[in-house]
Amino acid sequence: MRSLVGVPCIGIGVRVVPEVAPSMLLLRGRMFRRNFRVCASSSPATESIRVRFAPSPTGNLHVGGARTALFNYLFARSKGGKFVLRIEDTDLERSTRESEDALLRDLSWLGLDWDEGPGVGGNYGPYRQSERNALYKQYADKLLQTGHVYRCFCSNLELEKMKEIAKLKQLPPVYTGKWASATDAQVQEELAKRTPYTYRFRVPKEGSLKIEDLIRGEVSWNFDTLGDFVIMRSNGQPVYNFCVTVDDATMAISHVIRAEEHLPNTLRQALIYEALGFPMPKFAHVSLILAPDRSKLSKRHGATSVGQFKEMGFLPQAIVNYLALLGWGDGTENEFYTIDQLVDKFTIERVNKSGAIFDSAKLRWMNGQHLRSLPLEKLTKIVGERWKSTGVLTESGGSFVEEAVQLLKDGIDLVTDADKALATMLSYPLHATLASPECKPVLEDKLSEVAASLIAAYDGGDLCSALEEGHTGLQKWVKSFGKSLKRKGKSLFMPLRVLLTGKLHGPDMGAGLLLVYKAGNCGVLAPQSGFVTLDERFKMLREVEWESLLYKDNPILMPIPIPIIEE
């Protein structure tokens, strides 16, 4: 039994345990008996915590990737460690700098600032895999020299035939090891012919790997499920599992917190760690984010990328809060956290190993909570800029914007909701409201008589004088108006709401009416805002045919006009 040493790294050591039935390994031209079991064992924490998020720049940042980044960030910050960003861009055909830039923007927008990585630097760079090829070649050659890997000259056709034969025999499609025991002369002959070759890692024929996953507990694999695998392609490009292992080891990564879909990669990576003499980090494999139908969350379920949610009007703090709760909780019923509170509460032990359901409605609700918790000044700035950018207002600030945000904020869950909220307030859908079944009781409560008195009050200037005085003046006028009609409560306020706003529901009627009055005088509304002024509203009121509305469902009951007989 031995513990490996190498680049400083906290976590899981690798023990090589001899077993009874030996297998043969060609090592530096000599035959050695080798069959072992690799076990992961906890070792005392002696070095600093270092975690990494390593996305591939082949598309947008998915919410699953964002949650993985968040868990790494929270773990590092809660432990006083380092959060490293590494770009895994070895897929030369699909990786683009545009995607990388978008990833960096999304992470920055979420507030997940990295301690080392692109744009920041650090002592373990470069932080793009495409810039680390010399390092991969160095370690691949080391493995070749020590006999842990060998050159494989098999063509693609030969490899396909191996797969077909294995399939016919109902065996795993693993490499048969044709070149594993080739002589130096056979290898030199192929090299002289310049036959393309890959580097294949020698996998023990018997034995097992066992790790203690920080989320899933004990996980094990048998070596006989894995054939000798490629670590360097024939074009000189390293394979993913080899890159990741070399990078994590040489960057002194102490804990690898990643998605559960990477769990099968652990076997290959552990073998490479052992062969290079590097201690393994501790692993924590996070569950997948699932759609409501419990399938893997994908584009067919709607928005799935951070960039999309940003465009839809979500706040970064709401996204962070919601993603943290997908598979983690602090044991309380609290659901509302700032990122600082998450850092304080987060522990990897409380991450759930079962899949988490992504609920768009819950995310929207949470965003509304965060939005309304913002200081009013900040909320006004965000919403005001939104209204100006969409062309509704000509100015993003001022008293009208401040009062509008104060009035409408309770009905806004997303920043983009502010557009509809303002448009609704400025509109006057009187005819549609009067024709609706819900308005029938109001209509039958002598709404036409209230309308006639209201028109008289407007024409006489009483209503405008009250609006000019503000909230207090309007309150006095409403009370006096109700007294003159012998109405109060719902019998007074519902008819006034319908007649003045054109709607049955909405925010505080008095505040809304004052804002409509101000909108007609402040000059900040753009022509395309759809604003209906008070003058236009009362013009529409004068044109309403009350009797046809009242008796539209029962035209037989409509009063018959009495003809006037002229003498």
Side-chain angles (χ1 to χ4, degrees):
M1 182 182 297
R2 65 186 177 88
S3 295
L4 300 180
V5 294
V7 174
C9 186
I10 299 175
I12 299 174
V14 176
R15 298 200 308 274
V16 178
V17 183
E19 294 191 354
V20 178
S23 63
M24 307 305 291
L25 171 67
L26 181 64
L27 183 58
R28 294 182 182 174
R30 295 172 291 169
M31 299 301 291
F32 284 83
R33 294 181 184 276
R34 190 182 190 201
N35 182 30
F36 56 84
R37 175 167 49 92
V38 179
C39 297
S41 59
S42 298
S43 58
T46 57
E47 300 292 337
S48 61
I49 299 293
R50 290 176 59 80
V51 299
R52 50 73 167 179
F53 176 57
S56 298
T58 56
N60 298 321
L61 179 61
H62 188 271
V63 291
R67 186 189 59 170
T68 299
L70 174 62
F71 282 1
N72 276 279
Y73 174 89
L74 295 176
F75 184 79
R77 293 289 177 265
S78 66
K79 300 288 186 181
K82 298 292 185 182
F83 174 52
V84 179
L85 177 62
R86 185 175 72 226
I87 304 298
E88 296 187 345
D89 57 352
T90 52
D91 187 341
L92 301 179
E93 293 183 358
R94 297 174 60 218
S95 297
T96 66
R97 187 52 66 94
E98 291 76 18
S99 290
E100 179 184 322
D101 291 342
L103 282 168
L104 301 184
R105 284 196 302 271
D106 287 344
L107 288 171
S108 296
W109 180 71
L110 290 171
L112 306 183
D113 53 300
W114 50 98
D115 302 299
E116 299 175 23
V120 176
N123 297 328
Y124 295 83
Y127 293 92
R128 293 184 182 88
Q129 285 186 338
S130 60
E131 300 170 4
R132 297 171 65 85
N133 281 332
L135 188 67
Y136 306 136
K137 186 66 168 62
Q138 173 191 332
Y139 282 103
D141 288 341
K142 178 181 178 180
L143 292 176
L144 182 65
Q145 292 167 11
T146 58
H148 288 94
V149 304
Y150 57 88
R151 294 182 179 91
C152 172
F153 297 91
C154 288
S155 66
N156 290 334
L157 182 60
E158 288 179 286
L159 296 174
E160 285 300 322
K161 285 183 178 179
M162 289 180 195
K163 289 181 181 179
E164 290 176 8
I165 293 171
K167 186 177 181 180
L168 290 173
K169 295 181 178 180
Q170 295 184 333
L171 296 172
V174 298
Y175 180 65
T176 59
K178 175 181 178 181
W179 286 91
S181 57
T183 64
D184 285 344
Q186 290 173 316
V187 171
Q188 291 303 319
E189 181 182 350
E190 297 300 323
L191 289 175
K193 292 190 294 186
R194 296 189 177 182
T195 305
Y197 62 88
T198 59
Y199 280 11
R200 281 190 182 273
F201 190 94
R202 297 181 191 276
V203 177
K205 301 306 177 186
E206 297 179 17
S208 64
L209 166 72
K210 181 167 61 177
I211 69 167
E212 191 67 28
D213 190 280
L214 296 176
I215 295 173
R216 300 178 178 278
E218 185 178 295
V219 185
S220 63
W221 301 263
N222 291 326
F223 292 148
D224 59 9
T225 62
L226 180 67
D228 294 351
F229 57 90
V230 174
I231 66 164
M232 294 285 282
R233 299 183 180 90
S234 58
N235 62 0
Q237 286 297 312
V239 171
Y240 168 78
N241 280 300
F242 183 58
C243 295
V244 168
T245 305
V246 171
D247 288 341
D248 285 344
T250 57
M251 290 183 176
I253 299 302
S254 66
H255 294 71
V256 173
I257 304 171
R258 59 187 181 184
E260 68 172 322
E261 57 195 356
H262 289 289
L263 192 59
N265 294 324
T266 309
L267 175 54
R268 291 178 175 83
Q269 293 168 16
L271 290 169
I272 297 171
Y273 275 113
E274 187 274 331
L276 288 173
F278 292 128
M280 283 202 296
K282 290 184 178 179
F283 289 98
H285 288 91
V286 182
S287 64
L288 295 176
I289 295 179
L290 305 177
D293 61 1
R294 301 201 69 82
S295 63
K296 186 178 179 180
L297 188 67
S298 64
K299 292 180 180 178
R300 67 187 177 90
H301 298 108
T304 58
S305 73
V306 171
Q308 286 175 298
F309 286 112
K310 180 181 179 181
E311 291 175 2
M312 290 167 65
F314 284 88
L315 297 174
Q317 54 267 46
I319 299 289
V320 164
N321 188 167
Y322 183 69
L323 290 180
L325 297 180
L326 288 180
W328 173 87
D330 65 356
T332 71
E333 295 184 359
N334 185 32
E335 293 184 300
F336 188 82
Y337 299 92
T338 65
I339 194 165
D340 290 337
Q341 290 169 334
L342 288 171
V343 168
D344 183 57
K345 298 283 187 181
F346 185 82
T347 61
I348 199 70
E349 290 77 16
R350 292 204 64 87
V351 175
N352 199 319
K353 65 181 179 182
S354 60
I357 303 295
F358 191 90
D359 185 341
S360 299
K362 179 70 174 290
L363 173 58
R364 184 185 178 92
W365 168 83
M366 186 166 286
N367 195 82
Q369 299 298 309
H370 277 276
L371 194 70
R372 286 182 285 278
S373 72
L374 293 174
L376 187 58
E377 183 179 348
K378 185 173 183 180
L379 178 61
T380 300
K381 185 175 186 297
I382 293 172
V383 174
E385 289 175 352
R386 169 74 189 182
W387 283 337
K388 185 179 179 182
S389 69
T390 54
V392 178
L393 303 182
T394 58
E395 301 290 338
S396 62
S399 61
F400 174 79
V401 175
E402 292 171 2
E403 291 176 29
V405 171
Q406 177 67 42
L407 176 66
L408 302 174
K409 62 183 177 66
D410 289 342
I412 298 173
D413 284 333
L414 303 179
V415 174
T416 48
D417 290 347
D419 299 348
K420 183 178 179 181
L422 182 61
T424 299
M425 187 197 73
L426 297 176
S427 69
Y428 187 64
L430 178 67
H431 293 301
T433 299
L434 292 177
S436 67
E438 192 180 358
C439 191
K440 187 177 180 181
V442 183
L443 197 62
E444 293 175 344
D445 188 23
K446 300 181 180 179
L447 184 61
S448 60
E449 294 182 4
V450 180
S453 298
L454 187 62
I455 291 171
Y458 184 74
D459 291 343
D462 295 342
L463 178 56
C464 288
S465 297
L467 290 170
E468 194 66 35
E469 292 179 25
H471 185 71
T472 304
L474 182 59
Q475 265 189 331
K476 290 179 180 178
W477 177 84
V478 170
K479 187 177 181 179
S480 174
F481 184 75
K483 190 175 181 180
S484 67
L485 296 178
K486 296 181 180 179
R487 287 173 176 258
K488 60 182 179 180
K490 186 177 180 181
S491 177
L492 171 64
F493 289 105
M494 185 55 77
L496 283 178
R497 176 181 288 279
V498 170
L499 298 171
L500 291 169
T501 71
K503 295 172 278 287
L504 285 162
H505 309 287
D508 180 76
M509 184 194 70
L513 184 59
L514 287 167
L515 203 55
V516 166
Y517 180 71
K518 175 171 281 191
N521 300 314
C522 66
V524 299
L525 291 172
Q528 61 268 34
S529 65
F531 174 48
V532 180
T533 66
L534 278 177
D535 278 347
E536 292 169 330
R537 295 180 186 210
F538 277 92
K539 181 181 178 182
M540 292 172 64
L541 271 178
R542 292 185 180 93
E543 296 171 351
V544 173
E545 296 180 2
W546 297 104
E547 286 188 349
S548 62
L549 282 169
L550 192 59
Y551 298 107
K552 65 185 177 72
D553 294 328
N554 295 289
I556 297 176
L557 299 179
M558 183 176 291
I560 300 173
I562 300 174
I564 299 174
I565 301 174
E566 296 183 1
E567 293 182 359

